[in-house]
Amino acid sequence: MDGGVTYQRFPKLKIREMRDDVVKFELRETDASMANALRRVMIAEVPTVAIDLVEIEVNSTVLNDEFIAHRLGLIPLTSDRAMSMRFSRDCDACDGDGQCEFCSVEFHLRAKCLTDQTLDVTSKDLYSSDHTVVPVDFSDPNEPGEQRGIIIVKLRRGQELRLRAIARKGIGKDHAKWSPAATVTFMYEPMIRINEDLMENLSLEDKRSWVESSPTKVFDIDPVTQQVVVVDPEAYTYDDEVIKKAEAMGKPGLVEIEAKEDSFIFTVESTGAVKASQLVLNAIEILKQKLDAVRLSDDTVEADDQFGELGAHMRGG
């Protein structure tokens, strides 16, 4: 670049809260384009494993074959090894029939109701050929007696369901069943400044009225000093209600609220296919690969500029 100017940034990430299904973190010293790119990769490009092919052997249930196949596809499967698996379209070790350790996992389900009591057929009735790829367990560890899976169909006496299913690697861009994210959101970190001089001119009743004008619990009144304080800046939803209230009270400039354009607060919820923390790490790895591909493309263009038609011919252009 001219004069050695560089726009390179070094983003920083700080974990605030981390559980298996949820992670909250701060992303700083970057811009909205990078934050949104990370969000979109988490939703649509981190691979998981999901049922993609269903062969129905017997189905005497009230649901037709297509309905059951669709429900099976939406059951989240543990996908810790999805990053190392092959896409079935790229696998040269099989013909796509499911008998391949590199690109697919086979499931079987056999259920028949023999009593007058309704039988729930759930994800726990799916038997996998690979112990690392199984339906996600949503049972509560604090309630040992509760072992519920995701209901696929309900059977009455004499009804039966037998099927074979093949799970394959995929991404959410191709179908939502492969998306590992239940939700991914980010917001600009708000910067809130209260004008103490103007606030001093308000009565306690006016302060309460102004604090209560915020739809969320951003402000409160200190019981000792009777001063308005910011208790939770991240609860602010950029609704401008407190600003409008201040103007209606004849006190414009009572509060200034700005968004830090280089600081973002992410909330990531996983479907359970991968842990939320692993989802973030996988997304960063995929984003790095994409950026490397762009950089390589730029290098190729520069080579074409240097070598002209020869460089384009070498690439088949």
Side-chain angles (χ1 to χ4, degrees), residues 8 14 87 132 177 183 235 240:
Q8 185 176 9
K14 178 183 177 182
F87 288 102
T132 65
K177 67 185 178 183
T183 180
D240 290 344

Side-chain angles (χ1 to χ4, degrees), residues 38-270:
L38 181 60
R39 172 184 170 272
R40 290 172 68 94
V41 169
M42 280 191 273
I43 293 173
E45 301 201 41
V46 173
T48 64
V49 180
I51 289 175
D52 193 42
L53 175 66
V54 179
E55 297 176 356
I56 305 287
E57 298 176 19
V58 176
N59 179 18
S60 57
T61 72
V62 295
L63 301 183
N64 59 41
D65 294 356
E66 293 81 2
F67 206 126
I68 291 175
H70 182 260
R71 291 179 67 82
L72 288 169
L74 295 177
I75 294 173
L77 307 176
T78 53
S79 305
D80 294 330
R81 72 180 188 93
M83 290 285 284
S84 62
M85 288 178 65
R86 301 175 186 173
F87 288 102
S88 58
R89 60 179 176 270
D90 301 328
C91 185
D92 55 4
C94 71
D95 57 3
D97 64 351
Q99 303 288 337
C100 178
E101 61 179 310
F102 301 108
C103 72
S104 57
V105 178
E106 186 172 345
F107 288 84
H108 290 274
L109 187 152
R110 293 179 176 83
K112 185 173 183 178
C113 183
L114 302 174
T115 67
D116 291 330
Q117 185 175 358
T118 301
L119 176 66
D120 293 342
V121 180
T122 73
S123 55
K124 290 186 177 294
D125 296 309
L126 283 168
Y127 294 95
S128 171
S129 62
D130 184 342
H131 70 278
T132 65
V133 181
V134 295
V136 174
D137 185 4
F138 292 102
S139 58
D140 189 345
N142 297 322
E143 298 182 18
E146 186 181 9
Q147 297 293 328
R148 293 184 303 142
I150 299 172
I151 293 181
I152 300 169
V153 67
K154 295 188 177 186
L155 305 182
R156 297 301 299 270
R157 177 187 280 274
Q159 293 179 342
E160 184 178 6
L161 179 63
R162 291 206 310 269
L163 58 86
R164 171 179 175 262
I166 304 300
R168 295 170 175 151
K169 175 181 177 177
I171 58 175
K173 185 186 290 186
D174 295 331
H175 194 287
K177 67 185 178 183
W178 278 301
S179 177
T183 180
V184 181
T185 62
F186 71 83
M187 63 174 285
Y188 288 101
E189 185 176 359
M191 188 163 49
I192 303 174
R193 292 186 295 270
I194 297 174
N195 188 320
E196 299 294 347
D197 294 333
L198 289 177
M199 191 63 73
E200 282 295 329
N201 296 328
L202 295 182
S203 66
L204 183 58
E205 189 62 35
D206 286 340
K207 290 178 181 178
R208 282 203 185 94
S209 177
W210 183 79
V211 167
E212 291 170 358
S213 68
S214 176
T216 52
K217 189 73 172 178
V218 180
F219 308 94
D220 203 356
I221 297 177
D222 190 304
V224 178
T225 63
Q226 303 298 306
Q227 297 295 317
V228 175
V229 293
V230 180
V231 292
D232 187 4
E234 291 164 23
Y236 185 66
T237 57
Y238 295 95
D239 48 61
D240 290 344
E241 289 298 324
V242 290
I243 296 175
K244 295 174 184 175
K245 179 66 174 178
E247 293 172 352
M249 297 169 67
K251 301 290 183 182
L254 183 64
V255 64
E256 293 181 4
I257 303 175
E258 299 176 0
K260 295 182 182 178
E261 295 188 356
D262 66 344
S263 183
F264 308 90
I265 301 167
F266 273 78
T267 301
V268 179
E269 296 183 23
S270 168

Side-chain angles (χ1 to χ4, degrees), residues 247-297:
E247 293 172 352
M249 297 169 67
K251 301 290 183 182
L254 183 64
V255 64
E256 293 181 4
I257 303 175
E258 299 176 0
K260 295 182 182 178
E261 295 188 356
D262 66 344
S263 183
F264 308 90
I265 301 167
F266 273 78
T267 301
V268 179
E269 296 183 23
S270 168
T271 61
V274 294
K275 291 182 178 179
S277 56
Q278 191 62 47
L279 170 56
V280 176
L281 293 175
N282 290 353
I284 292 173
E285 181 62 31
I286 291 169
L287 189 56
K288 285 168 59 181
Q289 293 172 7
K290 285 179 169 290
L291 294 174
D292 287 342
V294 171
R295 185 169 56 186
L296 179 61
S297 176

